[in-house]
Amino acid sequence: MSAQMDIEGISKREIFIKKLSHELDHWMKNREFFNVIFRDFPPHESEQITKVMEKFRKTMINIHKEILFDTYGYKVSPYISDVVTILEGILKEYVFTIVFKRQFVNVRKLANLIAVSMDAIVQSLLDVEPVLDEQLFGEFDIEEELENRLSIIREKITKLNISNTEIEKIESSLQLIHDEIFKENPKVFLLEALIVYLKNESELEEDFELMERLLDRYVGED
């Protein structure tokens, strides 16, 4: 598949800012939902919520790890656990402010501020030694993450305001993607065509952009 990070005219840093903006915008738009979840269903009081939150956290760590590698290259490998932890910490505090203190922020400006901060941190890495083991968060299991993304998308489909016919078409396409991905020799052109088709559903575009990035790496490893 064509490399998602080599989009002509868009730097890796701009893509980093765009992805941070998407993530922050998601928290902004769903702040009431998250507020209710954390207030009325504390994770430590519900085993089911705990499992969901642990799965969500693992997914976000993997996403952030991939974004950082895409943006700064594999020179950050020895420091990846430290850099991911720093990014997670920054985002956590801003998300807390957005969700629980109900602060409205300009997500583009905030994403740019975070990106500038991460640039400065990464540029100074060679002057210090890593603190956390680079394998702290484990190896990135692409197959597992692809399965997770497909499950998340399937759940989202049920909440879309579209006809049953459209839902069936999307579900059929997802099944085709699933079946093709795990073949010994997946047809790259078919996966590309299916992703392009599915990205036409605006509410799922971000999910399929991430899926495309994962597939780029997955196919590239074969």
Side-chain angles (χ1 to χ4, degrees), residues 99-122:
V99 173
F100 296 106
K101 295 193 175 181
R102 301 175 185 274
Q103 287 289 309
F104 284 90
V105 299
N106 182 311
V107 294
R108 174 70 187 189
K109 287 183 178 179
L110 177 53
N112 187 64
L113 174 62
I114 294 172
V116 169
S117 301
M118 295 307 300
D119 286 347
I121 290 168
V122 170

Side-chain angles (χ1 to χ4, degrees), residues 22-63:
H22 277 312
E23 182 176 339
L24 292 164
D25 190 51
H26 178 72
W27 285 104
M28 284 281 288
K29 289 179 177 177
N30 296 281
R31 71 170 79 200
E32 295 302 327
F33 168 76
F34 289 116
N35 206 310
V36 170
I37 287 293
F38 288 117
R39 186 187 66 230
D40 297 341
F41 303 96
H44 63 278
E45 294 181 8
S46 169
E47 184 177 349
Q48 184 177 2
I49 294 294
T50 298
K51 288 181 179 179
V52 170
M53 293 306 297
E54 286 177 352
K55 185 176 181 179
F56 175 73
R57 182 173 182 273
K58 182 178 180 181
T59 295
M60 293 311 300
I61 286 172
N62 283 335
I63 290 172

